[in-house]
Amino acid sequence: LPNRLFSSFERLEANYTIDDQGDGDDDGDDSGDKSMSDKGAGTLLGRGAFSSVYLGHEKKTDLPVAVKKISKQYTDTDSFERELRALLHSSKSGGHPHICSLHQCYDDDNHYYLVMDYVGGGELFEHLIRNGAYSEAGAARLVREVASTLAFLHGIGVVHADLKPEN
């Protein structure tokens, strides 16, 4: 990946707050974790096969952001590069209301950190488990939103290869 896309971890600390101490992210390397403790920081929002996502805040505005922490041992995979390029391409194409924007990219010796829009409310899958099926009107709204998002992505030449309620 081009290094010019990424700023140093120190710049992340200067602009955002997050605390991932003791996150138990099982990436085999907690020695490189750095702490930027502040109110509300450190909340684990989600975990995937290759990353963990934490709640952070922009220091200037105190607005919440999602900080996706990805171990560098996984960055040589095609899927990571495709995801990053798709996010950058989406942003450069004007973005879409149902796609999280990528704000900044940072790195340290062991991890990449992608600062993205924070979207509250949890996963669709968890909502289905807690509340059961959507009403017909609610399901129709979700289908329209997904269809609109996919039409945007396909229009800019991006295919979402992992579409499921958890994502």
Side-chain angles (χ1 to χ4, degrees):
L1 290 173
N3 284 335
R4 69 182 185 278
L5 291 177
F6 295 91
S7 297
S8 72
F9 186 80
E10 289 75 23
R11 291 202 53 209
L12 173 66
E13 289 182 310
N15 295 311
Y16 299 93
T17 58
I18 185 174
D19 179 9
D20 66 347
Q21 287 291 70
D23 60 12
D25 62 5
D26 296 329
D27 64 6
D29 181 18
D30 284 336
S31 62
D33 288 357
K34 308 223 176 166
S35 176
M36 296 181 291
S37 310
D38 199 20
K39 62 178 180 203
T43 303
L44 180 66
L45 299 174
R47 185 183 317 280
F50 304 110
S51 63
S52 298
V53 181
Y54 299 90
L55 178 64
H57 288 85
E58 185 178 20
K59 286 185 177 180
K60 287 181 185 176
T61 63
D62 200 36
L63 290 173
V65 293
V67 180
K68 188 172 189 177
K69 176 185 171 186
I70 305 166
S71 175
K72 284 189 175 181
Q73 72 186 32
Y74 301 115
T75 58
D76 62 344
T77 64
D78 289 338
S79 62
F80 175 78
E81 288 188 29
R82 274 195 308 272
E83 179 180 350
L84 186 58
R85 291 186 196 290
L87 286 167
L88 291 169
H89 189 53
S90 171
S91 293
K92 288 179 182 175
S93 299
H96 188 276
H98 302 298
I99 298 176
C100 293
S101 293
L102 177 64
H103 298 283
Q104 299 285 325
C105 303
Y106 299 93
D107 73 335
D108 63 18
D109 291 339
N110 301 307
H111 299 91
Y112 286 113
Y113 301 85
L114 306 181
V115 180
M116 305 171 71
D117 291 339
Y118 169 74
V119 178
E123 297 176 354
L124 175 61
F125 182 75
E126 290 300 323
H127 180 82
L128 289 169
I129 297 294
R130 277 192 315 274
N131 303 310
Y134 282 90
S135 67
E136 184 177 342
R141 180 186 54 80
L142 285 173
V143 169
R144 276 193 307 275
E145 290 174 359
V146 171
S148 167
T149 305
L150 290 175
F152 169 79
L153 289 172
H154 294 174
I156 62 170
V158 173
V159 176
H160 195 303
D162 196 22
L163 193 60
K164 57 188 176 185
E166 297 89 340
N167 291 341

